[in-house]
Amino acid sequence: MTKLLSLGELLIDMLPQDSQNSAYLPIPGGAPANVAVGYAKLGGKAAFCGGMGDDYFAKQLTNALEQYNVDTEYLFTIEGAQTAMVIVSLDESGERSFNFYRHQTADLLLTNEHLKRINWDKLSTLHFCSNTLTNTAIAKTTVCALKQAKNNQKIVSFDVNLRYSLWQNSNDIEQNVHACYAYCDIVKLSRDELNFLATQRQQSADAYLQSLLELGVKLVFLTDGPAPATVYHNAFTLSEAAPTITAVDTTSAGDAFIAGVLYYLNHSDNAVPLTDKLNDELIVKKALHFGLRCGSKACLAKGAFPALPTQQTLSK
């Protein structure tokens, strides 16, 4: 079984329609949803788990996931709740800034009762991000999902993907993030995130990376914009330069990267068990290469779901 379950927020990205950010278009998004769609567009089987409002955007969000063949069995409508929204602004180089509208929205109201519906036997991998760690209730639900995944011997992937403005107290960030590492097999960090978290823990960046491996994380992927990306394992370290491109929109680059990594690990060398692949240097090297190709392709078009690459677009 190679099916991915992506847990977290499904929301509306208000994307600018011109370089002056003067008009916006509502587009389905949310980092975990992007990963589910990215995985499915590459040809994998993916499902999404999260809370959805019962407002105007609900049908648009459901239809968008189903359009890309993402299973919505675990997408739960939260009565009386609204869908979260984020206004995305782009600068001249295509880099993003975010303004979130997310107070008691549906994505924060997923509970342990919802998780009881998950059929873990049909899944290989659970993926999540830190936006479901930003308040106590949804953080408890997230940790419950991680425990269930590990109890069912599934691979757990964590793209830290910090959105600092979502945290009421920035001093809580590292502690909440760190509490999840013990359940994770794969962790993805950006260079900025690594520096921030290491500083909060009063460690050097290198010491912080090593501490993740000592906690049991098998692979730590570190991305650094256009600079080379690196993957750390207890037995090896690999780096590769990102393809040189002219970015149009970097909104889904990181999500496309991790979707590509997870797709490659799940679908390559089928004779090798997934857990063994995480310790195979050659397979991990190829997964890093594939993820970088996916991330770079996603920067060549605007939006999230539409920009995520397919096998066909990767071959061009």
Side-chain angles (χ1 to χ4, degrees):
M1 179 56 65
T2 58
K3 190 172 184 178
L4 171 76
L5 178 64
S6 203
L7 171 79
E9 72 275 10
L10 175 64
L11 46 73
I12 291 292
D13 285 334
M14 299 297 288
L15 293 181
Q17 296 305 288
D18 56 39
S19 58
Q20 286 74 44
N21 300 305
S22 63
Y24 292 84
L25 182 69
I27 300 292
N34 291 343
V35 173
V37 170
Y39 191 93
K41 287 183 73 173
L42 290 168
K45 292 183 178 180
F48 179 79
C49 180
M52 176 179 63
D54 61 356
D55 53 18
Y56 171 80
F57 291 118
K59 190 168 183 61
Q60 181 186 2
L61 293 170
T62 303
N63 289 346
L65 289 179
E66 292 177 346
Q67 175 187 346
Y68 293 107
N69 298 314
V70 174
D71 187 345
T72 57
E73 179 182 0
Y74 309 125
L75 175 58
F76 301 100
T77 299
I78 310 296
E79 293 186 8
Q82 292 184 322
T83 299
M85 183 182 302
V86 55
I87 295 179
V88 183
S89 299
L90 303 175
D91 64 18
E92 294 81 0
S93 63
E95 286 297 326
R96 308 151 295 163
S97 61
F98 303 92
N99 289 300
F100 283 87
Y101 294 81
R102 189 176 179 244
H103 177 68
Q104 285 299 98
T105 47
D107 58 303
L108 297 173
L109 301 176
L110 193 74
T111 68
N112 294 355
E113 286 299 311
H114 294 118
L115 300 181
K116 291 179 180 179
R117 294 269 302 275
I118 298 173
N119 184 348
W120 292 100
D121 290 340
K122 293 184 177 181
L123 305 168
S124 70
T125 307
L126 174 69
H127 177 76
F128 74 108
C129 302
S130 67
N131 287 352
T132 50
L133 303 175
T134 55
N135 70 34
T136 301
I138 193 61
K140 287 182 177 178
T141 303
T142 301
V143 172
C144 181
L146 303 185
K147 290 178 179 179
Q148 288 184 19
K150 297 314 292 181
N151 288 341
N152 285 277
Q153 299 179 309
K154 306 305 173 183
I155 296 299
V156 176
S157 164
F158 182 16
D159 182 355
V160 177
N161 198 35
L162 290 177
R163 298 291 176 257
Y164 302 98
S165 63
L166 291 178
W167 296 79
Q168 290 187 350
N169 186 348
S170 63
N171 292 326
D172 294 336
I173 296 177
E174 198 285 328
Q175 180 179 354
N176 286 29
V177 167
H178 198 272
C180 297
Y181 291 145
Y183 305 101
C184 296
D185 301 283
I186 298 170
V187 172
K188 176 189 168 293
L189 291 161
S190 71
R191 173 64 66 180
D192 288 344
E193 289 164 351
L194 171 61
N195 291 340
F196 174 84
L197 294 168
T199 298
Q200 282 212 328
R201 203 163 183 83
Q202 298 182 329
Q203 290 182 307
S204 69
D206 287 344
Y208 192 85
L209 287 169
Q210 185 59 39
S211 73
L212 269 61
L213 299 176
E214 291 171 356
L215 283 168
V217 177
K218 299 296 188 299
L219 299 172
V220 181
F221 288 88
L222 180 64
T223 59
D224 194 7
T230 304
V231 56
Y232 298 87
H233 181 278
N234 264 326
F236 56 82
T237 300
L238 303 166
S239 291
E240 183 175 335
T244 301
I245 59 167
T246 301
V248 173
D249 179 1
T250 61
T251 298
S252 58
D255 303 326
F257 171 83
I258 194 63
V261 167
L262 295 176
Y263 176 85
Y264 190 90
L265 290 172
N266 271 284
H267 292 86
S268 65
D269 298 285
N270 292 330
V272 180
L274 179 56
T275 52
D276 291 347
K277 292 178 188 179
L278 305 185
N279 299 312
D280 188 307
E281 184 173 355
L282 180 57
I283 291 176
V284 172
K285 181 178 181 179
K286 290 179 178 178
L288 174 63
H289 176 75
F290 189 77
L292 286 168
R293 288 175 60 208
C294 291
S296 64
K297 284 289 186 181
C299 295
L300 301 179
K302 283 192 174 184
F305 294 1
L308 295 163
T310 63
Q311 296 287 355
Q312 184 178 11
T313 55
L314 287 175
S315 66
K316 294 180 180 178

